[in-house]
Amino acid sequence: MTAESAPLAPPTLEGLPDEKNPAISNELATPEHVALEMKKNSKGIRAYLPWPKKEPKTMESEAENANTADTVVPVSFLSLFRYSTRFEIILDICGVICAVAAGASQPLMTLIFGRLTEDFVTFGLAENEYYQSLQSQDPNVIEQAQAALDAAASGFRQSASQDASYLVYIGIAMFVTTYLYMYTWVYTSELNGKRIRERYLQAILRQEIAYFDDVGAGEVATRIQSDTHLVQLGISEKVTLAVTFISAFAVGFILAYARSWRLALALSSILPCIMIIAGVMKSFVSKYTQLSLKHVAEAGSLAEEVISTVRTAQAFGTQKVLSGIYDKNIDVTRVVDSKASIWHGAGLGGLFFVIYAAYALAFDFGTTLINEGEANAGQVVNVFMSILIGSFSLALLAPELQAITRGCGAAAKIFATIERVPDIDSENSGGLKPAKITGEITFEDVKFNYPSRADVPILKGINITFPAGKTTALVGASGSGKSTIVSLTERFYDPLAGSVLLDGTDLRELNIKWLRSQIGLVSQEPVLFATTIRGNVAHGLIGTPYEDASDEEKFQLIKAACIKSNADSFVSLLPQGYDTMVGERGFLLSGGQKQRIAIARAIVSDPRILLLDEATSALDTRSEGIVQDALDKAAAGRTTITIAHRLSTIKDADCILVMGEGLVLERGTHAELLADENGAYFRLVTAQTLREGHEALDAVMSSDETDLENPMPEDLDIKSTTRSIRSEVVSQSKEKAGDQAPAETYGLFYLMGRIAGLYREGLHRYFIGSLFAICNGAAYPASGIIYGQAISGFSATTNSERRYQGDRNALWFFILAILYGICTGFQNYFFASAAAVLTAKLRSMSFKAILRQDSETLIGLCKTGALTSRLGENPQKINGLAGVTLGTIVQSITTILAGLAVGYAYAWKLALVGMACLPVSVSTGFIRLQVVVLKDRKNKLAHENSAQIACEAAAAIRTVASLTREEHCLHLYRQSLEGPVRKSIRTALWSNMLFALSQAMGFWVIALVFWYGADLVSRLEVSTESFFIALMSTVFGAMQAGNVFAFVPDVSLAKGAADAIIRLLDSTPAIDAESTEGKSVPSETIKGRIQLENIHFSYPTRPGFRVLRGLSLTVEPGTYVALVGSSGCGKSTLLERFYDPLSGRISLDGEIIDEFNVQAYRQQFSLVSQEPLTTCLADFIRGTVRFNILLGASKPESEVTQEEIEAACRDANILDFIQSLPDGFNTEVERIAIARALLRNPKVLLLDEATSALDSNSEKVVQEALDKAARGRTTIAIAHRLSTIQNADRIYFIKEGRVSESGTHDELLARRGDYYEFVQLQALSKK
């Protein structure tokens, strides 16, 4: 039984705004330390971020005035059930009826309580008359009084026993109704929550691509994880709890007016006070909550993007800059939440002052009514308790209503998305589905701008026909609209003017899924999903007749497609073959391997149209030649549109279109276009033509080079290394298993101690808050003493005596009301504000800890989406316990201890009975704790997995749409939700039974104490006053103990979250970028000589597959060295120390790199990687060019001049392009990684496919710039496009994980070995 059933029990702060539901008060929290760190560490960030410097006041007003357009109008309460089935609604209605009954049982108890009080007062009068008769010393009078007393005692015992039995029956009814309403609503909310999550993902997947220009994958993960949880809470048992409170309120007031309307009317004056205070508090707290949620979602999107490109952050050492920006978002939530905690504390303080002041009014006016004969003591107590229970119910209604209003608020965006019908609706089953198509695509006067940059025209009225069954190639400068043509053909966007036709039919008239199933798309940066190679290729069969084919038939198609795309050769070598997991986003495969799998996926269904958006840009020459041959074969008889920067791949196309500035500049075959020496195409080809080798060098082959051609025998290699490497892998995995063994050992108190240790500067807030909580806890037994005296005062024999007692007790209650109001306000303020600061500190520290981890640890931790949702949720779960809840727990413990002490002092026998009942209340709560913890632990992982599926699908929406894979993603997501829902419903059967038992237990304990107390009082062992003091202090104190367990979910969630956070903060990666240990690197004297000696390496996730097998090479200082070879031979690993080799050593200037400080070592390098992902940050700082380039600066950002940035951009050939954009340096573009690397002026430049994304003109300029930049510094280039590295001082050809041959371009050509074969494959000369 909760405190509201106690006539005096001031409501424990059970469930007040932030505590009971950690996920609800999402992110009402942020810390002082963040503000301090921003001042200390982030000075440079403000210099270039597009927000002005702001004082805290400005930040507050920014928080308050934050985009009102973003605040969607909440949906109505009944709208929350729009996706429920009829059966669920019937169950919900039954639950509501039970809740009404359960709520009514509370005021009904006061009726019995009033009758019992009247029995005590009547017996008290007889007792007083007996004591007065003793003073007369007349034996007859004494004998008569004795007889009257015995008769009164007998009647008193009988009446008390009967009333106590009624309480037992009400308790049984309470148990049954509570169990039914709790279970039915938990059951329906789980099913509904699952349905809403599914519909939300379904809606997200049907949106057009333009929608995702504004909504990031991180936001989808946050909404599907947090906001759907808020909606589920809004339709969960919180609704029926709210109904019980409303029922208790209504029945309480009806009963009060029926018993004594005058007293009830007087006491009703507290209602408007409660409503005004609660209304004002709610409006402010919910306003701040919405703002807080908004900034948390933005922080989630930022974290998602940074974590997914964490290697770039680590390579440039920008962890501090990025975490500073993350802290900026968190800082706004801290401001918002600090204000919320002030309103929270003030509101609750006012509420409890009003409620306690009502005690004073009741006893003062009640005495008047008794003296006037308008009421008796029983009626006064009955009315007073009924009104109080009704009012308490209103106060306790606030948190439940808050859960519902938050649910309505969160549902607004979720439901708006679910019901949003996009302009290009992939779920629309309408549209034409021609039985046969030839595949002719026509663009008629097409004009187009991207919605996100509506003022930059991309296509300016182009007219193109792509003939059926022919291959048409698009070439031209970056940004000329080539990829846009692919997007329009896939109908990712619709043209602003003009039309795109397929066989003469406008694409807008065709069924979208049918259209996309006719097209195979391979894009520049292929997206693979976190499943097996077989599963990834099988995605290409979705929406085709083969979708439901047998596994054998599917596998034949998959294998055939992989053979065509040259993927079968490397897949067959993998230990699990086609069942090898590719990791998140294909993380575990090299770029070339990913691309070949993507090509297999595109051609597996034998589509009529093939779109190749730089499909072979990530492949080495040998793979490219074979794949190009396969694509040429695959293209036969189907329409193919291919975009390429590498012109060798498109020289055999039927028609080549040269594009520039959104128009077609030239068209014709390779030979026709080359004939015009002044044409754009001729210039492009000239830029890419390789120098012919000198035949005279044929004879120049030194003996050591000959040795290189004959690498050591494979069997020797296996004998000498495999055993040690494998044993090392085994020992590493054993060590890890050893590390994980104590995973369950962290206790709650240990975790609380650790968290407190992280937040020493805020412990004083907790200390002050605890003092107020202790005062609040002691106020409860104190009111019990006053209450006992007041009831005893009603037994006074004269009106004047009764009047004196009544006024005195009323005064004591009023003084208590003032003190209690002040203490409650401060208790809530201090705990809520302390938790707000703590939450933000944990969020900030967790983000920094994630950025600190090395690649191996990050893969082990979990996938990006799950990591992002953990980052958002875990600190909030700790807030659920560390906030107002913690204060309530302190208060409740004080109440129990002080109550028992007071009880023993006044009536030790009764106190013993009360104490004996304590374990009954506590044990049921404890059992429920165990049940809930168990459920939480089991469901945790499953929900993270489901969030990961949603996040992955949203992040790769173009790929999902082009494969028409929406239904498949939804099916996987649906399956991932089944487990948690089933477990949750099963657990609810038992946990809610125990909860119902703990609610009913209160009635039974009161019945027992009244029955036993009546017996003691009737035998004159205890006075009426002492009985009521003991009853209030011990029994209702014991009920407070039961209330502590209303916070069980908070404790269990917080324990799990604290465990995860402490483990994350404690995990020290093997390669620790933030470590201060290790030798410093003498930047001035370092020359840049790099040596790799007998390196063996395999990725930690695939220890059985060795990428490098005894690689040895030396890079002399200041030389330009190129590494060439097949995809997946490990060319781009290890030098940045993302991983350490299994054996062998890497040295810089003769010193082993393991001995250097990691950060200092990485500062000597600049990396331009194969997929130069720029960090696009949250909406209002959406990665500008300036910001991304400055990530590469090695000196403080404020010291970097605009001239230096422009020079770096000029070298990377993007300055003119940037300046042509409307916002210049504040516009997003992709190709800035090169400028970022050059800005740093590094000792060693690592170019991992640095120019693969550039067109020929840009490549030539950039190559010259890189050649210029390479002078005086060591440069290591990894390239598939050999024209970019022909000037290298030394070229190493890597084959099967070791050096096969090395020399200059001309020397290697002369040898006519592997390199020569590569050159021939890439030769552009007409033959």
Side-chain angles (χ1 to χ4, degrees):
M1 167 164 165
T2 49
E4 72 270 18
S5 53
L8 268 162
T12 59
L13 304 179
E14 178 185 348
L16 286 158
D18 297 46
E19 358 126 272
K20 215 168 165 186
N21 317 311
I24 293 186
S25 52
N26 248 351
E27 327 332 346
L28 271 190
T30 328
E32 288 159 349
H33 85 282
V34 175
L36 294 173
E37 283 194 11
M38 289 293 289
K39 285 173 193 161
K40 283 188 289 191
N41 301 340
S42 308
K43 183 179 175 186
I45 304 172
R46 296 184 182 275
Y48 62 87
L49 288 178
W51 52 64
K53 282 192 177 182
K54 289 184 180 157
E55 297 305 319
K57 279 281 176 204
T58 326
M59 200 187 287
E60 288 182 21
S61 60
E62 178 203 77
E64 287 189 43
N65 303 329
N67 215 334
T68 47
D70 284 357
T71 334
V72 183
V73 180
V75 302
S76 66
F77 170 65
L78 291 177
S79 300
L80 291 176
F81 300 89
R82 67 177 69 171
Y83 304 117
S84 299
T85 63
R86 184 174 294 175
F87 174 67
E88 287 163 10
I89 287 171
I90 291 168
L91 278 182
D92 285 343
I93 292 169
C94 294
V96 168
I97 293 166
C98 289
V100 169
S105 62
Q106 303 271 9
L108 286 177
M109 185 208 75
T110 67
L111 187 63
I112 311 297
F113 200 96
R115 288 175 54 173
L116 282 164
T117 304
E118 184 57 32
D119 291 341
F120 274 90
V121 171
T122 307
F123 179 73
L125 281 168
E127 190 183 355
N128 285 347
E129 285 169 4
Y130 170 69
Y131 284 128
Q132 284 172 355
S133 70
L134 289 178
Q135 292 169 3
S136 69
Q137 296 182 349
D138 182 339
N140 290 330
V141 174
I142 292 172
E143 191 178 334
Q144 281 175 351
Q146 182 70 55
L149 183 65
D150 290 344
S154 173
F156 174 44
R157 278 195 295 272
Q158 186 181 352
S159 173
S161 299
Q162 188 181 19
D163 287 339
S165 66
Y166 291 153
L167 278 180
V168 173
Y169 304 145
I170 292 176
I172 292 168
M174 182 76 170
F175 170 74
V176 174
T177 53
T178 301
Y179 178 64
L180 287 175
Y181 81 68
M182 286 292 284
Y183 181 71
T184 53
W185 278 73
V186 167
Y187 174 77
T188 57
S189 74
E190 282 290 344
L191 296 181
N192 243 324
K194 175 176 180 284
R195 200 172 294 124
I196 289 168
R197 283 184 175 94
E198 287 169 8
R199 292 207 180 199
Y200 177 69
L201 182 62
Q202 185 176 11
I204 282 290
L205 295 178
R206 79 186 279 205
Q207 301 307 318
E208 75 272 32
I209 301 299
Y211 177 80
F212 292 91
D213 294 345
D214 299 320
V215 178
E219 186 174 333
V220 173
T222 305
R223 291 210 180 282
I224 211 158
Q225 193 78 331
S226 304
D227 288 17
T228 50
H229 178 65
L230 292 183
V231 176
Q232 187 175 329
L233 285 172
I235 53 175
S236 68
E237 72 280 4
K238 305 217 162 292
V239 176
T240 38
L241 284 170
V243 170
T244 59
F245 296 139
I246 292 167
S247 167
F249 164 74
V251 175
F253 272 74
I254 291 167
L255 190 63
Y257 276 89
R259 295 283 281 162
S260 171
W261 68 268
R262 289 174 69 185
L263 181 58
L265 191 62
L267 289 175
S268 297
S269 62
I270 67 171
L271 263 188
C273 301
I274 288 176
M275 289 168 80
I276 291 166
I277 294 168
V280 171
M281 177 175 83
K282 177 182 169 294
S283 68
F284 280 97
V285 171
S286 58
K287 180 177 89 170
Y288 293 131
T289 304
Q290 269 196 321
L291 281 173
S292 190
L293 280 169
K294 175 174 169 281
H295 285 285
V296 166
E298 284 172 359
S301 274
L302 167 77
E304 157 77 18
E305 296 201 45
V306 172
I307 293 168
S308 63
T309 60
V310 70
R311 284 188 184 179
T312 308
Q314 290 176 340
F316 285 99
T318 55
Q319 294 97 318
K320 281 186 180 171
V321 175
L322 293 169
S323 54
I325 296 164
Y326 180 80
D327 289 350
K328 163 75 182 180
N329 254 331
I330 298 303
D331 211 32
V332 179
T333 65
R334 178 184 57 78
V335 173
V336 166
D337 294 343
S338 298
K339 298 182 87 174
S341 64
I342 294 170
W343 283 100
H344 195 202
L348 289 175
L351 278 177
F352 287 120
F353 165 74
V354 169
I355 288 168
Y356 265 91
Y359 281 52
L361 176 62
F363 283 103
D364 187 71
F365 188 52
T367 305
T368 304
L369 291 177
I370 292 172
N371 284 352
E372 290 175 3
E374 295 285 341
N376 61 31
Q379 284 174 315
V380 170
V381 169
N382 188 183
V383 169
F384 166 61
M385 285 176 60
S386 292
I387 294 280
L388 216 55
I389 278 184
S391 306
F392 279 168
S393 300
L394 274 191
L396 287 166
L397 190 58
E400 312 306 343
L401 283 182
Q402 194 171 29
I404 295 166
T405 52
R406 278 180 175 159
C408 291
K413 275 221 162 174
I414 298 272
F415 289 0
T417 306
I418 291 175
E419 280 151 30
R420 182 181 189 273
V421 179
D423 299 330
I424 304 171
D425 185 2
S426 62
E427 269 198 10
N428 186 346
S429 55
L432 304 173
K433 298 181 183 177
K436 192 177 178 189
I437 62 165
T438 53
E440 181 178 86
I441 298 168
T442 311
F443 280 64
E444 291 183 353
D445 197 26
V446 171
K447 293 180 180 174
F448 181 73
N449 308 344
Y450 283 102
S452 57
R453 280 214 310 267
D455 47 354
V456 180
I458 303 295
L459 299 181
K460 302 173 182 175
I462 62 166
N463 291 284
I464 306 175
T465 298
F466 298 97
K470 303 284 187 187
T471 298
T472 307
L474 301 174
V475 298
S478 309
S480 61
K482 304 186 299 295
S483 295
T484 306
I485 287 177
V486 168
S487 294
L488 292 172
T489 307
E490 276 273 8
R491 218 183 147 207
F492 289 153
Y493 301 92
D494 280 337
L496 298 179
S499 52
V500 184
L501 311 175
L502 173 61
D503 293 349
T505 307
D506 195 314
L507 295 191
R508 285 172 278 215
E509 295 172 18
L510 295 171
N511 176 278
I512 293 180
K513 284 198 173 176
W514 176 87
L515 169 69
R516 289 175 182 165
S517 67
Q518 306 303 314
I519 300 173
L521 170 69
V522 185
S523 58
Q524 185 178 344
E525 289 174 13
V527 176
L528 299 185
F529 297 96
T531 178
T532 59
I533 291 173
R534 181 202 299 252
N536 269 292
V537 180
H539 290 155
L541 296 171
I542 293 169
T544 70
Y546 305 110
E547 184 174 2
D548 301 316
S550 66
D551 287 348
E552 295 79 21
E553 193 179 344
K554 275 188 184 175
F555 185 63
Q556 285 173 357
L557 291 167
I558 290 166
K559 192 164 177 73
C562 287
I563 290 169
K564 275 187 197 169
S565 68
N566 193 29
D568 184 66
S569 54
F570 83 83
V571 174
S572 303
L573 293 173
L574 297 168
Q576 278 93 34
Y578 281 87
D579 294 318
T580 304
M581 296 297 288
V582 302
E584 187 187 357
R585 303 181 192 198
F587 196 75
L588 306 178
L589 300 178
S590 74
Q593 290 170 335
K594 277 199 290 190
Q595 194 64 283
R596 282 182 273 172
I597 299 295
I599 291 168
R601 180 174 66 191
I603 62 177
V604 69
S605 65
D606 194 25
R608 297 296 308 141
I609 300 164
L610 202 54
L611 304 178
L612 307 173
D613 188 354
E614 303 200 38
T616 57
S617 66
L619 297 179
D620 56 79
T621 308
R622 176 178 294 164
S623 307
E624 181 186 46
I626 298 167
V627 170
Q628 197 58 48
D629 182 50
L631 288 175
D632 291 345
K633 282 184 206 155
R638 61 167 65 99
T639 311
T640 306
I641 301 176
T642 179
I643 298 174
H645 284 144
R646 211 179 300 170
L647 303 181
S648 59
T649 61
I650 51 103
K651 66 173 192 248
D652 296 325
D654 297 302
C655 181
I656 296 170
L657 303 176
V658 183
M659 297 193 65
E661 297 184 354
L663 298 167
V664 177
L665 304 178
E666 293 182 318
R667 62 182 83 203
T669 63
H670 178 68
E672 289 166 3
L673 292 172
L674 277 188
D676 179 5
E677 296 194 4
N678 298 318
Y681 187 73
F682 184 86
R683 290 198 300 276
L684 291 174
V685 172
T686 311
Q688 230 178 80
T689 305
L690 282 164
R691 213 170 59 223
E692 292 294 336
H694 299 292
E695 298 296 327
L697 289 168
D698 274 351
V700 188
M701 289 176 74
S702 62
S703 56
D704 42 305
E705 283 177 328
T706 312
D707 291 341
L708 278 170
E709 283 192 335
N710 302 306
M712 63 175 101
E714 183 68 27
D715 58 342
L716 174 66
D717 174 44
I718 288 171
K719 282 175 194 165
S720 60
T721 65
T722 305
R723 193 167 182 188
S724 62
I725 291 167
R726 286 205 178 146
S727 61
E728 191 170 336
V729 170
V730 169
S731 67
Q732 279 176 3
S733 59
K734 278 183 182 170
E735 278 172 34
K736 280 184 187 165
D739 290 346
Q740 289 169 358
E744 297 297 316
T745 55
Y746 286 167
L748 182 62
F749 291 108
Y750 169 79
L751 290 168
M752 286 174 76
R754 285 293 306 276
I755 297 286
L758 295 174
Y759 184 44
R760 292 183 191 282
E761 70 276 18
L763 291 181
H764 68 281
R765 286 168 178 260
Y766 279 115
F767 179 70
I768 298 167
S770 297
L771 290 179
F772 282 114
I774 288 167
C775 293
N776 270 344
Y780 193 78
S783 68
I785 296 173
I786 304 170
Y787 186 86
Q789 290 176 347
I791 296 291
S792 176
F794 288 149
S795 302
T797 48
T798 66
N799 283 359
S800 58
E801 175 67 15
R802 200 179 289 121
R803 175 81 271 163
Y804 171 75
Q805 295 269 17
D807 289 348
R808 188 194 60 183
N809 292 323
L811 178 63
W812 278 117
F813 270 125
F814 190 72
I815 293 168
L816 193 66
I818 295 169
L819 295 174
Y820 195 79
I822 292 169
C823 291
T824 300
F826 281 111
Q827 173 191 329
N828 279 278
Y829 166 70
F830 279 109
F831 276 102
S833 60
V837 181
L838 171 66
T839 305
K841 179 158 191 180
L842 291 176
R843 230 180 261 287
S844 176
M845 291 176 76
S846 298
F847 186 65
K848 288 189 178 81
I850 289 169
L851 292 188
R852 175 190 178 190
Q853 305 305 320
D854 58 21
S855 296
E856 183 177 348
T857 318
L858 271 177
I859 296 172
L861 272 173
C862 65
K863 301 166 183 172
T864 305
L867 210 53
T868 309
S869 60
R870 275 191 199 179
L871 183 65
E873 285 187 350
N874 283 350
Q876 192 53 44
K877 286 176 180 173
I878 290 175
N879 183 13
L881 174 62
V884 183
T885 307
L886 190 60
T888 309
I889 291 170
V890 172
Q891 181 186 340
S892 297
I893 291 169
T894 309
T895 299
I896 292 168
L897 297 176
L900 285 175
V902 169
Y904 276 117
Y906 279 89
W908 65 271
K909 284 186 180 178
L910 267 178
L912 277 178
V913 173
M915 191 176 176
C917 295
L918 198 63
V920 177
S921 304
V922 174
S923 64
T924 53
F926 179 73
I927 293 163
R928 185 163 184 265
L929 171 69
Q930 293 303 310
V931 172
V932 175
V933 171
L934 213 61
K935 164 195 158 191
D936 186 46
R937 204 173 292 155
K938 284 180 182 171
N939 280 357
K940 191 175 176 187
L941 191 63
H943 270 300
E944 276 188 356
N945 288 343
S946 64
Q948 170 59 23
I949 291 169
C951 189
E952 185 182 56
I957 187 65
R958 281 172 181 265
T959 309
V960 170
S962 68
L963 293 168
T964 64
R965 204 188 144 227
E966 295 94 342
E967 281 297 323
H968 185 245
C969 286
L970 193 60
H971 177 67
L972 289 177
Y973 184 65
R974 196 174 279 133
Q975 281 182 319
S976 72
L977 290 174
E978 290 287 347
V981 170
R982 207 176 298 118
K983 280 179 190 167
S984 186
I985 290 172
R986 201 180 304 134
T987 311
L989 270 170
W990 303 107
S991 62
N992 289 313
M993 185 177 287
L994 291 166
F995 177 73
L997 196 64
S998 65
Q999 294 289 297
M1001 224 28 115
F1003 289 93
W1004 300 333
V1005 169
I1006 291 171
L1008 172 66
V1009 172
F1010 259 117
W1011 172 79
Y1012 181 57
D1015 192 61
L1016 290 179
V1017 172
S1018 70
R1019 300 185 198 291
L1020 306 183
E1021 289 185 37
V1022 171
S1023 70
T1024 300
E1025 179 182 330
S1026 298
F1027 165 76
F1028 275 102
I1029 291 172
L1031 172 75
M1032 289 296 154
S1033 302
T1034 58
V1035 176
F1036 292 122
M1039 287 172 190
Q1040 293 289 74
N1043 277 331
V1044 172
F1045 288 98
F1047 304 112
V1048 162
D1050 293 344
V1051 177
S1052 69
L1053 288 170
K1055 181 175 182 290
D1059 191 280
I1061 287 176
I1062 292 299
R1063 286 184 195 285
L1064 175 63
L1065 298 180
D1066 285 351
S1067 66
T1068 307
I1071 305 168
D1072 185 358
E1074 289 188 11
S1075 168
T1076 51
E1077 294 172 14
K1079 290 195 287 194
S1080 60
V1081 182
S1083 303
E1084 300 77 20
T1085 58
I1086 203 147
K1087 293 189 178 71
R1089 183 178 193 270
I1090 296 172
Q1091 197 168 9
L1092 283 76
E1093 300 172 50
N1094 196 25
I1095 299 294
H1096 288 264
F1097 176 71
S1098 61
Y1099 287 102
T1101 43
R1102 291 213 313 271
F1105 185 69
R1106 269 184 301 147
V1107 179
L1108 298 179
R1109 312 170 179 219
L1111 178 72
S1112 297
L1113 57 87
T1114 302
V1115 181
E1116 295 299 337
T1119 58
Y1120 189 132
V1121 168
L1123 306 181
V1124 183
S1126 296
S1127 311
C1129 63
K1131 302 186 293 287
S1132 53
T1133 347
L1134 306 174
L1135 282 179
E1136 278 272 9
R1137 258 201 101 193
F1138 292 136
Y1139 296 99
D1140 280 336
L1142 294 177
S1143 66
R1145 47 180 260 165
I1146 303 172
S1147 57
L1148 175 65
D1149 285 6
E1151 297 198 49
I1152 299 174
I1153 64 170
D1154 299 21
E1155 295 172 2
F1156 289 123
N1157 173 272
V1158 178
Q1159 198 68 31
Y1161 170 73
R1162 284 183 184 156
Q1163 274 176 4
Q1164 310 310 313
F1165 287 76
S1166 260
L1167 170 69
V1168 183
S1169 68
Q1170 191 169 351
E1171 293 173 8
L1173 291 166
T1174 58
T1175 312
C1176 285
L1177 301 169
D1179 291 338
F1180 56 89
I1181 47 167
R1182 194 49 97 166
T1184 63
V1185 177
R1186 163 182 280 276
F1187 167 71
N1188 275 285
I1189 293 172
L1190 279 167
L1191 287 179
S1194 55
K1195 56 185 173 180
E1197 294 80 5
S1198 52
E1199 295 173 22
V1200 180
T1201 63
Q1202 179 69 12
E1203 288 71 32
E1204 288 175 284
I1205 297 172
E1206 289 187 13
C1209 290
R1210 195 176 290 111
D1211 289 345
N1213 190 35
I1214 54 171
L1215 182 62
D1216 294 342
F1217 178 51
I1218 293 166
Q1219 289 175 337
S1220 72
L1221 292 164
D1223 298 329
F1225 273 86
N1226 292 326
T1227 306
E1228 304 172 48
V1229 288
E1230 290 170 9
R1231 229 158 277 104
I1232 57 175
I1234 297 165
R1236 178 164 62 191
L1238 299 181
L1239 185 67
R1240 196 169 201 178
N1241 197 15
K1243 288 286 184 292
V1244 180
L1245 195 58
L1246 298 179
L1247 307 175
D1248 185 356
E1249 300 284 353
T1251 59
S1252 69
L1254 295 177
D1255 55 81
S1256 297
N1257 270 344
S1258 304
E1259 181 185 35
K1260 186 178 180 186
V1261 179
V1262 171
Q1263 201 55 51
E1264 284 171 9
L1266 291 177
D1267 291 346
K1268 213 188 306 170
R1271 282 179 205 142
R1273 62 165 66 93
T1274 307
T1275 305
I1276 300 174
I1278 296 164
H1280 293 143
R1281 215 186 292 178
L1282 303 183
S1283 57
T1284 62
I1285 49 100
Q1286 58 184 318
N1287 295 322
D1289 298 315
R1290 194 166 189 82
I1291 297 170
Y1292 287 95
F1293 191 88
I1294 296 173
K1295 188 175 177 181
E1296 295 179 354
R1298 62 170 71 84
V1299 176
S1300 151
E1301 56 184 12
S1302 69
T1304 63
H1305 172 72
D1306 293 335
E1307 287 168 4
L1308 291 174
L1309 278 184
R1311 297 169 76 168
R1312 296 183 176 268
D1314 289 319
Y1315 182 77
Y1316 178 80
E1317 186 187 341
F1318 260 53
V1319 172
Q1320 293 311 309
L1321 283 167
Q1322 234 181 69
L1324 282 167
S1325 53
K1326 293 178 290 178
K1327 290 185 180 171

